[in-house]
Amino acid sequence: MHPEFVPLAEFALGVGLESQMFSNLYLVTDAQWELYSRPNVTLATSYYSDVAKLHDRVTRRPGSHARTRAAIAEALERAIPIKVAIVELFDGQRADKAHAEMQALGVPQLAPVDRMRGIGRAAEEMNIQANVNELCGQCGNGRAAVSPDGDVRICVMSRFLPSAGNVRETDLREILTGPVWRELVTMVPRRGDKPPCAPVSECPPASDGNDCPPASTECEGNALVLPVIRALQVRAVSGER
């Protein structure tokens, strides 16, 4: 929605950053399709149901189901590496059918259907206070989030926690090695002695009852950029279409 979105993204790519573009794919311009097709770019979106009115109930935008589904198909045709998240928010949503639909469409290596987590707007829906137990457990682990106003946080999902500093006032290196950053990182529950990517087999996200430990979802390695193998698989799927 930012008027300078494409130039900002091109700047990031120009300095060698790998970039994942998060979008509801409701409206994709020609310039954005060109951007998404560039090397070192991956695309991410959410899909909620195979039934239009149920998907639109989540997004609160009439017609979003048709637009998002068509854009996902377009991304596959263009061989753009894409990650589709499917989150179940209410009974009868048919999230499992949405998962099957995305598989049939050709989206590679879909993660299991996830549950709604009590952070951001979802916390309001669940009528709970956002807390660190709802985070994935990898916050600040080799990554940081810098918001448009310059605030630095341990994760894009941790905006309910204080900022570790602001890059407009303090050098990023100083922020990431400072006491506030270290304190924030220690607030997030970790997995103990389990490997970082070990799935919690006794608590599958597709059927949990909100009693899973943090980070019970399937690990995807670098959450911001899909592995190269996925890009190759997307291209293979697209080539068969």
Side-chain angles (χ1 to χ4, degrees):
M1 295 176 66
H2 194 288
E4 299 299 320
F5 165 66
V6 172
L8 286 169
E10 289 178 340
F11 177 84
L13 293 171
V15 296
L17 292 175
E18 295 175 311
S19 302
Q20 184 164 96
M21 311 300 177
F22 286 79
S23 171
N24 59 16
L25 299 180
Y26 183 80
L27 177 63
V28 185
T29 66
D30 290 341
Q32 288 169 352
W33 278 127
E34 183 177 347
L35 171 67
Y36 300 156
S37 299
R38 292 182 55 178
N40 295 325
V41 173
T42 58
L43 192 58
T45 192
S46 298
Y47 190 72
Y48 298 104
S49 178
D50 63 327
V51 176
K53 67 178 181 180
L54 298 178
H55 176 96
D56 294 356
R57 171 180 166 184
V58 177
T59 64
R60 301 177 185 177
R61 299 194 73 170
S64 62
H65 174 267
R67 286 172 174 260
T68 298
R69 190 186 186 285
I72 292 172
E74 178 73 11
L76 292 171
E77 289 286 352
R78 291 173 177 262
I80 298 171
I82 185 169
K83 179 168 64 176
V84 179
I86 301 174
V87 180
E88 188 169 26
L89 287 81
F90 57 85
D91 291 337
Q93 181 184 319
R94 293 171 57 95
D96 57 331
K97 301 297 184 183
H99 190 277
E101 183 182 17
M102 290 294 101
Q103 283 184 315
L105 194 62
V107 177
Q109 296 188 12
L110 283 166
V113 175
D114 199 4
R115 67 177 177 88
M116 179 168 63
R117 300 187 177 274
I119 49 181
R121 288 182 298 176
E124 300 176 10
E125 295 285 341
M126 299 169 69
N127 196 28
I128 66 172
Q129 184 72 35
N131 65 86
V132 293
N133 292 315
E134 291 293 287
L135 296 170
C136 83
Q138 295 298 317
C139 300
N141 184 13
R143 67 198 61 179
V146 182
S147 62
D149 60 5
D151 279 338
V152 179
R153 290 184 165 82
I154 57 176
C155 174
V156 293
M157 298 297 182
S158 71
R159 284 173 288 184
F160 60 91
L161 294 175
S163 167
N166 191 290
V167 294
R168 296 184 178 184
E169 303 168 357
T170 309
D171 183 78
L172 180 60
R173 185 186 303 273
E174 183 178 339
I175 293 173
L176 297 181
T177 57
V180 178
W181 176 267
R182 291 195 296 271
E183 181 180 354
L184 289 169
V185 168
T186 59
M187 292 174 61
V188 180
R190 307 293 168 169
R191 293 189 181 191
D193 58 357
K194 289 188 176 182
C197 295
V200 183
S201 58
E202 68 272 19
C203 189
S207 60
D208 75 38
N210 289 339
D211 55 353
C212 285
S216 57
T217 52
E218 189 175 78
C219 178
E220 299 187 54
N222 186 336
L224 299 181
V225 181
L226 296 174
V228 174
I229 184 64
R230 294 199 180 185
L232 294 175
Q233 287 172 337
V234 171
R235 287 179 174 85
V237 169
S238 180
E240 294 170 0
R241 293 177 62 84

